[in-house]
Amino acid sequence: MKTKFLITSLLLIFLTSCSSDNDNNTDDGNEVPTGFMPLKNNNYWVYDVDSNLSSSTNPLTRDSVYVSGDTLINSETYKKIKSLTIPTGFFSSTLRNNGIKIDGSKLLMTGNFSFDFGLTTPINLGVTDFIFFNENATVGQVLSTTSGTINQTVQSFPLTIDYTLRSVYNGGQATYVFPNGDDYSDIKKTKIILNLKITTVQTLLGVTIPVTIMNAQDVIVSDQYYSKNVGMIYTSTVLNYQLNSIPNVTLPIPSTFNQTQTESIKSFLIN
């Protein structure tokens, strides 16, 4: 259980570690604002979270996020998303304490994160106007993409993390039906993908050499389903990575990890 939260938090931190450099954040003029995530104050969404590790001692969890009101970031007005408790789901954790705004057919996220996931120091990162949804995109269209480098020391290991984060429109469908029979209509889908490469340095006989801890790979692939006039109703997120073996070196995180997590809407209120 501890490992699950450590790794999930680590990956979520990397996801929110960048400022978007996309070319799609333009003024939509008189375009009708999207209704795929209504952002009136006090709107809320409750999700059942299944991390596929459930047991009698590790049951399903429940997240609740809501629109708390306006917040001003860099002279721009956003709606601030808060949660009743610390969320365990990927989607809710990504939105928590961040600013969201509607820009025509798009949903943009801006915010700052500080996570302490059980290592020696927390990581503080941010994201600026990252487009995570666009109802008028074409299938396969990249909504936002950004790349960069994070330098972080974890338990005496100086890590260099090269990342590429992108969001992609993944098409739509007429309805989505849950196993319990609940159904939602007018569905649009977004895929969030995070690719990471991690390197460090080792000193041997007085010589410092770079060592690749993890080859570039997609460590997060998150499929998100949005229903018009409701919001995000279902997310399936795969967290997966494989570290390289380094002789005589014990890394502070597990060498391999694979987990599929789902978030299914339980209830909501739209004003």
Side-chain angles (χ1 to χ4, degrees):
M1 181 72 176
K2 181 178 179 181
T3 298
K4 181 190 75 169
F5 284 113
L6 185 151
I7 298 302
T8 302
S9 297
L10 176 62
L11 294 178
L12 286 169
I13 290 161
F14 293 149
L15 175 60
T16 56
S17 66
C18 47
S19 299
S20 175
D21 61 0
N22 63 82
D23 295 324
N24 299 302
N25 185 15
T26 58
D27 186 0
D28 289 304
N30 295 321
E31 185 176 10
V32 176
T34 184
F36 279 82
M37 188 174 180
L39 291 177
K40 289 188 177 180
N41 293 348
N42 301 316
N43 284 0
Y44 69 76
W45 301 264
V46 178
Y47 300 99
D48 284 337
V49 182
D50 185 354
S51 297
N52 288 354
L53 297 174
S54 299
S55 65
S56 58
T57 58
N58 181 25
L60 300 178
T61 56
R62 182 164 291 173
D63 292 344
S64 178
V65 294
Y66 63 97
V67 181
S68 67
D70 291 348
T71 182
L72 202 63
I73 305 174
N74 297 326
S75 301
E76 294 286 336
T77 300
Y78 298 78
K79 291 295 185 180
K80 189 165 188 176
I81 307 298
K82 292 187 176 181
S83 62
L84 293 181
T85 59
I86 297 176
T88 59
F90 175 81
F91 177 80
S92 297
S93 296
T94 302
L95 265 60
R96 179 176 181 256
N97 291 333
N98 282 328
I100 307 296
K101 72 176 179 179
I102 295 172
D103 182 10
S105 64
K106 301 185 289 287
L107 293 168
L108 283 65
M109 179 168 65
T110 292
N112 294 294
F113 286 70
S114 178
F115 280 89
D116 182 355
F117 49 93
L119 300 179
T120 54
T121 57
I123 292 181
N124 298 285
L125 303 166
V127 58
T128 301
D129 281 349
F130 187 83
I131 302 170
F132 63 96
F133 178 86
N134 185 349
E135 69 170 285
N136 290 336
T138 57
V139 177
Q141 178 181 337
V142 176
L143 309 180
S144 277
T145 184
T146 186
S147 299
T149 300
I150 306 165
N151 293 301
Q152 178 74 29
T153 299
V154 177
Q155 295 185 12
S156 78
F157 285 89
L159 303 182
T160 298
I161 305 161
D162 298 315
Y163 63 83
T164 297
L165 172 68
R166 67 187 187 276
S167 56
V168 181
Y169 180 64
N170 204 28
Q173 58 194 60
T175 59
Y176 184 89
V177 182
F178 287 96
N180 65 1
D182 290 346
D183 66 289
Y184 294 83
S185 61
D186 199 349
I187 306 300
K188 304 284 187 180
K189 298 181 289 184
T190 293
K191 186 184 292 286
I192 305 294
I193 304 165
L194 176 67
N195 185 279
L196 295 180
K197 177 183 178 182
I198 304 177
T199 58
T200 189
V201 293
Q202 292 288 298
T203 301
L204 300 174
L205 301 176
V207 179
T208 300
I209 59 174
V211 177
T212 299
I213 294 177
M214 186 176 76
N215 298 329
Q217 55 194 268
D218 293 340
V219 298
I220 290 179
V221 178
S222 182
D223 289 292
Q224 302 176 354
Y225 292 63
Y226 294 78
S227 176
K228 191 170 186 178
N229 299 321
V230 177
M232 199 288 291
I233 60 166
Y234 178 76
T235 293
S236 176
T237 303
V238 176
L239 311 173
N240 180 72
Y241 69 80
Q242 177 70 52
L243 301 184
N244 296 325
S245 176
I246 303 175
N248 302 317
V249 174
T250 301
L251 297 171
I253 57 177
S255 61
T256 185
F257 188 78
N258 182 274
Q259 176 188 333
T260 298
Q261 181 193 77
T262 62
E263 298 161 81
S264 304
I265 196 162
K266 175 68 176 179
S267 61
F268 62 92
L269 172 68
I270 303 300
N271 293 299

